[in-house]
Amino acid sequence: MSTRFRVSLQTKILGLVLTLIIGIIIILAGIFAFWEKQDTEEKMGQLALQAATTLSFMPTIKEAFNREDPSKIIQPIALSIQEEVGAEFVVVGNQDSVRYAHPDSWKIGERMVGGDNARALKSGEYYISKAEGTLGPSLRGKAPIISEDGEIIGIVSVGFLIKDINSAIWAKLADIAEISVVVLLVGTAGSYVLARSIRKDTLGLEPYQISSLYRDREAVLSSVREGIIAIDHAGKVKMINQSAMKILNIQTDTENKPINEVFPNTQMLRVLHSGLQEKDQEMILKDRVIIVNRTPILEGEEVVGVVASFRDKTEVREMVNALSEVKRYSEDLRSQTHEFTNKMYVLLGLLQLGNYKEAVDLIESEFETTQSQNRILSDQIDDETVQAILLGKISKASEQKINFSIDPDSSLEIIPPHINRSKLVTILGNLIDNAFEAVEGQSVKEVDFFATDVGNEIVFEVTDSGPGISESVMPYLFMRGFSTKQGEQRGFGLANVNEIVKELGGTLEISEPDTNGTIFSIFLPKKGGGLS
């Protein structure tokens, strides 16, 4: 809608209330006028009929008909009755409708007009009629004058002019109009106060502005990847976006539900009571690490609700792990370069000293070792990511004087797409690095790697010749931040591996070989369907 045709909320309310009040007043006034007209005509007609009947029964009136000039007796009586009942006229006529009494004395002796005397003069009826006489349209009460012998000798007509009746009705309507004006003024003032109160509740915004803000809010909430949820002062959910429902795995309507039923272990109620903002708080939710921000909603100085935004840390963690692995690979490449350089120096020294046989033996030894490992990698392991990981670890093991071997029975096709490459890097990289650390300081430094995808699962096994894992350490092995080694930023590798394996729907097992050491076994399903 164009802004030129937008009407303010206050104008709409005023217009609606005034229209309703005026419409109701007009309808009620019309109904009242109709009822009042009927009631007034009925009362005036009855009054006219009673006055006419009373006059027709007066003996003096009947006796006057036997005199030579009845008007002398009847006219004063008729005028007195007319004044007493407030009628417009009291007319008395003989059986031929010739007037014996009339408010205008000069009309005495003339015939009565209106044509409504027949029922009284011929049938002796008492009735009320409407007719137009010499004074105008009027409401009349008609009564026959009957002699002592039962003969109809005349007629009495008492009337009220229609215009006078209408004037009385309009006078009453004028009173109603005064009351209506007061009601209209009160309604106007009330609607003005109501409009101001509504504008205060809507922060001065017009309805079209509120609807625009609502559409914008819905669009923003649907577009952001962070989960957003808001509660009121009673701790009940008032708003939740699609991202929040996805992260919390909610399928049903949550409006007006207690927050603890929707968001387990939330601390929003704590912020609701304290009124203090909390930023970047880390918490575990359904095996996921999420980062939460909680902000109180204030109305003046009063806390009326809390809004929380939260995001899954898994993606961030995966990216950090991937970058960490890239850093490790660069270090492995540096180690490989350093090791290769050292061997080249040894080979050069042997050649310069003329020890050709030892030089050839060194070359053949390195060639055989490299050929054996490369044959397994190229012929039996098809996945390029796993090949790259193992090549890097072979170089690192060579520099650290660790005998790192790939089981000749290993076989692995391309990893299914549902196993993310960065997750694979985190699993294998951490397991092999932990094995390298486990054999440090040991007289025998051996680490074996085995992989197979025979059956419905992909199996990785890393075996080391280290001292093994004590029973006291085992319960804390996958706890984030726990490590038996000294140093900063430790205790996250196995925790990350365990979380990713669970996320992929797999299992991680720890066992001991026949000799000293530890075997870490990873079982990952070939088909997706891990934890959501």
Side-chain angles (χ1 to χ4, degrees), residues 297-344:
I297 303 172
L298 301 176
E299 187 174 300
E301 296 183 356
E302 182 182 0
V303 179
V304 296
V306 176
V307 61
S309 63
F310 48 95
R311 61 188 181 274
D312 191 350
K313 192 182 177 183
T314 305
E315 294 181 0
V316 178
R317 182 196 63 197
E318 290 177 355
M319 181 179 67
V320 171
N321 291 338
L323 292 175
S324 177
E325 287 303 317
V326 170
K327 182 180 179 181
R328 288 182 183 180
Y329 289 147
S330 66
E331 293 176 354
D332 291 345
L333 289 174
R334 181 192 60 78
S335 299
Q336 186 177 14
T337 303
H338 184 263
E339 181 68 11
F340 181 76
T341 302
N342 289 336
K343 291 179 180 179
M344 289 300 294

Side-chain angles (χ1 to χ4, degrees), residues 250-459:
I250 297 172
Q251 305 295 332
T252 59
D253 184 25
T254 60
E255 187 172 356
N256 290 323
K257 286 187 176 180
I259 184 62
N260 284 331
E261 294 182 10
V262 178
F263 195 162
N265 304 321
T266 182
Q267 300 298 329
M268 294 177 71
L269 296 177
R270 180 176 65 193
V271 176
L272 185 66
H273 295 144
S274 68
L276 300 177
Q277 185 180 21
E278 297 181 356
K279 292 184 178 181
D280 299 326
Q281 300 290 313
E282 186 173 307
M283 64 179 294
I284 303 296
L285 177 66
K286 297 181 179 179
D287 298 324
R288 287 179 176 266
V289 180
I290 63 172
I291 305 298
V292 186
N293 291 299
R294 309 179 187 92
T295 304
I297 303 172
L298 301 176
E299 187 174 300
E301 296 183 356
E302 182 182 0
V303 179
V304 296
V306 176
V307 61
S309 63
F310 48 95
R311 61 188 181 274
D312 191 350
K313 192 182 177 183
T314 305
E315 294 181 0
V316 178
R317 182 196 63 197
E318 290 177 355
M319 181 179 67
V320 171
N321 291 338
L323 292 175
S324 177
E325 287 303 317
V326 170
K327 182 180 179 181
R328 288 182 183 180
Y329 289 147
S330 66
E331 293 176 354
D332 291 345
L333 289 174
R334 181 192 60 78
S335 299
Q336 186 177 14
T337 303
H338 184 263
E339 181 68 11
F340 181 76
T341 302
N342 289 336
K343 291 179 180 179
M344 289 300 294
Y345 282 136
V346 172
L347 185 60
L348 180 60
L350 290 173
L351 291 174
Q352 288 177 345
L353 293 174
N355 296 330
Y356 302 115
K357 185 179 183 304
E358 293 183 11
V360 171
D361 291 342
L362 177 61
I363 293 173
E364 289 178 349
S365 175
E366 290 296 323
F367 178 76
E368 288 176 2
T369 303
T370 304
Q371 278 295 96
S372 175
Q373 300 288 1
N374 288 346
R375 182 183 57 78
I376 297 174
L377 287 177
S378 61
D379 296 345
Q380 297 173 226
I381 297 178
D382 297 333
D383 191 86
E384 294 180 351
T385 302
V386 177
Q387 290 177 353
I389 295 172
L390 295 177
L391 281 172
K393 298 307 178 185
I394 289 172
S395 300
K396 184 175 182 180
S398 177
E399 182 183 21
Q400 295 181 0
K401 307 305 179 184
I402 297 173
N403 183 17
F404 178 55
S405 60
I406 301 174
D407 194 305
D409 293 329
S410 296
S411 64
L412 186 67
E413 295 181 355
I414 297 176
I415 299 296
H418 75 274
I419 301 178
N420 187 280
R421 300 301 168 183
S422 63
K423 294 178 180 178
L424 188 61
V425 168
T426 301
I427 292 173
L428 297 183
N430 278 292
L431 287 183
I432 296 173
D433 284 344
N434 280 349
F436 287 174
E437 290 182 0
V439 299
E440 287 181 0
Q442 301 296 313
S443 58
V444 178
K445 299 181 180 181
E446 292 183 353
V447 175
D448 296 326
F449 175 82
F450 172 75
T452 183
D453 56 2
V454 177
N456 297 323
E457 293 181 316
I458 299 171
V459 180

